[in-house]
């Protein structure tokens, strides 16, 4: 027997913290809208922190909590949710979020999380149901009706969906570890210049001769030359075509639509097919070290006008290009007095050491398997995501059952 209960019967809602920028110091990790993206679970390693002295116990998240985007200028983000698990340190959440703490005596938190992501429930609190409103209120959420079967059925349905998302999370973690391994080798060879010399020993550490280069204003290995990004890669800047939110809504599909920092949507059309490297165009989008956000993409994709699209050539593989772009200081390639942008000419003209062909090929051979594995894992995660999204509504509305 499935009961139809309002969310107000299934848990307690609480808005997140509002805080001054001056409080943005180390102390307590905080989840904000920027941390959602397409994630199902939080990535605690990438969270910013605020002053712990202004955080009360009531502001802290617990395992099993469900977090929603409450307010954002981008309507598509409002209502996105994440499931909180494996908290080992204090974590709070911003005022642009709403936390739901399920009543575990009535409903399994994992089940409630997936039920609220099902089309039946999602439609009830979707921004599209609230004319000209870009906020998700507690009153709207409290009125959402949720199908609640027996605890045994909840557990079965939630487990299969949760296991799929755990596998996707594990794939993402392995991809990160493989990339970190590749980045370590790249730095060792092309930042420290300890690539294998003719005797197979680290070049610089073994006494390889270094010479001062006036153009780069640094030492580089003797007999190395200088080149520019535009000489080692094609920049497909003119093909970056934006789609409005309404246009994307009319062509929903399975092909990823990329923005500056990741996948924004899935549509049924594409403008790129193959392997490319993306670099965020917005000069304010950078990592903690001041380097640009760079992404590797494969297969059919659509990229909007907030990311440059490049492809390596002349023995410079996309893997080399990827790490090279990630090492450029953003301030050296951006322009503009008000809104800083990574200018295409600045990017193309940025000078780098010209790596000898033999060494390029050696690095590519070593990294080829790692990046092929990353590609395979991403493809697997994409298929798992499609399976989860197909199963989710069927399990939640009773069309499918787990035996």
């Amino acid at each position: 027997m499935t009961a139809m209960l309002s969310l107000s019967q299934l848990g307690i809602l609480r808005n997140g913290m509002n805080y001054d920028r001056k409080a943005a110091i180390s102390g307590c990790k905080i989840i904000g809208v920027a941390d959602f993206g397409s994630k199902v679970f939080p990535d605690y390693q990438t969270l910013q922190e605020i002053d712990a002295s202004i955080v009360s116990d009531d502001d802290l998240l617990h395992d099993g909590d469900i977090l929603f985007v409450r307010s954002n200028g981008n309507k598509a983000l409002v209502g996105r949710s994440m499931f909180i698990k494996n908290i080992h340190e204090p974590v709070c959440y911003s005022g642009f979020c709403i936390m739901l703490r399920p009543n575990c005596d009535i409903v399994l938190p994992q089940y409630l999380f997936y039920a609220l992501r099902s089309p039946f429930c999602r439609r009830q609190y979707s921004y599209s149901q609230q004319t000209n409103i870009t906020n998700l209120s507690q009153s709207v959420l409290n009125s959402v009706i949720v199908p609640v079967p027996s605890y045994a059925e909840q557990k079965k349905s939630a487990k299969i969906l949760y296991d799929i998302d755990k596998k996707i999370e594990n794939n993402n973690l392995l991809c990160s570890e493989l990339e970190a391994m590749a980045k370590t080798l790249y730095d060792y060879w092309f930042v420290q210049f300890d690539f294998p010399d003719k005797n197979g020993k680290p070049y610089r550490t073994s006494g390889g001769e270094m010479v001062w280069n006036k153009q780069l204003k640094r030492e580089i290995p003797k007999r190395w030359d200088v080149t520019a990004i535009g000489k080692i890669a094609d920049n497909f800047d003119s093909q970056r075509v934006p789609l409005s939110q309404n246009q994307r809504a009319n062509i929903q599909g399975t092909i990823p639509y990329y923005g500056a920092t990741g996948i924004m949507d899935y549509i049924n059309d594409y403008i790129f097919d193959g392997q490319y490297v993306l670099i965020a165009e917005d000069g304010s989008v950078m990592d903690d070290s001041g380097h640009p956000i760079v992404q590797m993409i494969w297969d059919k994709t659509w990229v909007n006008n907030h990311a440059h699209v490049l492809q390596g050539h002349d023995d410079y593989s996309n893997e080399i290009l990827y790490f090279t772009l990630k090492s450029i200081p953003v301030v050296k390639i951006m322009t503009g007095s008000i809104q800083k942008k990574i200018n295409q000419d600045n990017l193309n003209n940025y000078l780098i050491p010209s790596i000898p062909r033999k060494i390029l090929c050696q690095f590519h051979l070593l990294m080829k398997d790692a990046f092929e594995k990353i590609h395979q894992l991403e493809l697997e995660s994409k298929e798992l995501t499609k399976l989860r999204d197909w199963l989710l509504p069927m399990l939640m509305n009773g069309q499918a059952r787990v035996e």
Side-chain angles (χ1 to χ4, degrees):
M1 182 71 179
T2 298
M4 304 300 288
L5 303 177
S6 68
L7 199 56
S8 62
Q9 297 172 278
L10 298 173
I12 299 173
L13 295 166
R14 190 175 190 276
N15 286 359
M17 295 180 57
N18 292 310
Y19 61 95
D20 190 272
R21 284 183 179 271
K22 294 178 182 178
I25 59 178
S26 62
C28 179
K29 290 187 175 180
I30 185 166
I31 297 177
V33 174
D35 300 305
F36 279 74
S38 58
K39 297 185 182 75
V40 172
F41 310 117
D43 181 355
Y44 299 112
Q45 300 299 317
T46 61
L47 298 181
Q48 294 184 342
E49 297 186 16
I50 63 171
D51 185 357
S53 68
I54 66 171
V55 181
S56 70
D57 288 343
D58 291 337
D59 296 317
L60 298 177
L61 292 165
H62 297 173
D63 280 352
D65 287 346
I66 298 168
L67 205 59
F68 297 89
V69 174
R70 181 184 69 84
S71 177
N72 193 261
N74 181 357
K75 289 184 177 182
L77 289 176
V78 177
R80 287 197 182 182
S81 58
M82 282 197 300
F83 186 75
I84 307 301
K85 68 177 184 69
N86 297 337
I87 287 188
H88 300 297
E89 61 184 309
V91 180
C92 59
Y93 53 105
S94 80
F96 295 105
C97 304
I98 297 180
M99 179 270 294
L100 169 64
R101 183 155 294 158
N103 183 341
C104 297
D105 293 332
I106 303 174
V107 66
L108 184 70
Q110 291 98 323
Y111 170 82
L112 183 56
F113 171 71
Y114 288 110
L116 289 169
R117 288 168 71 96
S118 70
F120 173 75
C121 290
R122 190 73 175 83
R123 281 192 295 268
Q124 297 178 60
Y125 64 88
S126 169
Y127 67 83
S128 63
Q129 305 299 313
Q130 308 165 53
T131 306
N132 297 323
I133 295 177
T134 57
N135 294 326
L136 180 61
S137 67
Q138 290 191 26
S139 60
V140 169
L141 274 175
N142 271 326
S143 65
V144 172
I145 302 300
V146 182
V148 183
S150 69
Y151 194 84
E153 288 299 321
Q154 291 179 44
K155 191 173 182 179
K156 290 177 182 178
S157 297
K159 184 180 186 306
I160 189 170
L161 297 169
Y162 187 80
D163 286 348
I164 290 173
D165 277 325
K166 278 291 297 176
K167 173 59 177 170
I168 294 172
E169 183 185 48
N170 290 338
N171 283 357
N172 293 339
L173 179 60
L174 182 53
C175 286
S176 296
E177 291 173 348
L178 287 168
E179 183 178 321
M181 176 195 70
K183 175 66 163 57
T184 298
L185 186 65
Y186 175 89
D187 290 344
Y188 189 65
W189 281 29
F190 306 127
V191 177
Q192 301 175 43
F193 297 119
D194 267 333
F195 53 88
D197 64 13
K198 61 182 180 181
N199 298 313
K201 296 181 178 180
Y203 178 83
R204 189 169 190 171
T205 301
S206 300
E209 188 174 353
M210 303 291 292
V211 296
W212 180 258
N213 186 277
K214 292 181 180 179
Q215 291 176 283
L216 297 176
K217 296 181 174 61
R218 61 181 294 195
E219 285 189 331
I220 61 174
K222 188 178 181 179
R223 289 185 288 276
W224 279 32
D225 205 342
V226 177
T227 188
I229 295 295
K231 297 290 186 180
I232 67 166
D234 295 315
N235 192 323
F236 299 91
D237 186 70
S238 62
Q239 296 185 37
R240 296 179 297 130
V241 182
L243 291 176
S244 70
Q245 185 177 312
N246 288 336
Q247 287 175 314
R248 299 202 306 270
N250 291 329
I251 54 171
Q252 288 294 300
T254 60
I255 296 171
Y257 176 89
Y258 278 84
T261 58
I263 296 172
M264 295 176 58
D265 211 338
Y266 288 90
I267 60 177
N268 64 13
D269 202 356
Y270 64 94
I271 53 176
F272 294 101
D273 189 359
Q275 186 187 31
Y276 299 86
V277 182
L278 306 187
I279 177 172
E281 180 192 58
D282 187 344
S284 66
V285 178
M286 61 184 82
D287 64 19
D288 293 338
S289 301
H291 298 140
I293 302 299
V294 182
Q295 308 163 72
M296 187 82 80
I297 63 171
W298 287 276
D299 308 319
K300 293 180 174 63
T301 48
W302 190 297
V303 181
N304 73 9
N305 61 329
H306 295 298
H308 293 278
V309 183
L310 298 97
Q311 193 172 57
H313 62 67
D314 290 345
D315 298 318
Y316 277 83
S317 66
N318 281 339
E319 292 80 15
I320 288 274
L321 177 63
Y322 176 80
F323 290 120
T324 301
L325 294 175
K326 286 176 75 75
S327 65
I328 299 175
V330 170
V331 294
K332 293 189 176 182
I333 53 175
M334 67 181 181
T335 188
S337 56
I338 300 176
Q339 186 175 8
K340 300 292 187 179
K341 296 285 187 181
I342 293 177
N343 179 280
Q344 183 181 16
D345 288 337
N346 289 355
L347 178 59
N348 286 342
N349 294 328
Y350 185 80
L351 297 178
I352 59 173
S354 179
I355 305 169
R357 182 177 183 275
K358 180 180 178 181
I359 299 172
L360 286 173
C361 292
Q362 283 180 292
F363 184 84
H364 176 68
L365 287 174
L366 287 173
M367 289 299 98
K368 184 179 178 182
D369 288 346
F371 274 86
E372 284 182 355
K373 182 63 175 178
I374 290 173
H375 186 201
Q376 291 168 5
L377 289 168
E378 290 188 352
L379 287 176
E380 182 181 54
S381 293
K382 183 178 179 181
E383 292 302 312
L384 287 169
T385 299
K386 288 164 62 176
L387 174 62
R388 180 202 63 201
D389 293 346
W390 176 75
L391 278 173
L392 177 59
M394 297 180 67
L395 289 169
M396 294 302 132
N397 64 21
Q399 285 182 282
R401 298 183 66 179
V402 181
E403 298 297 336

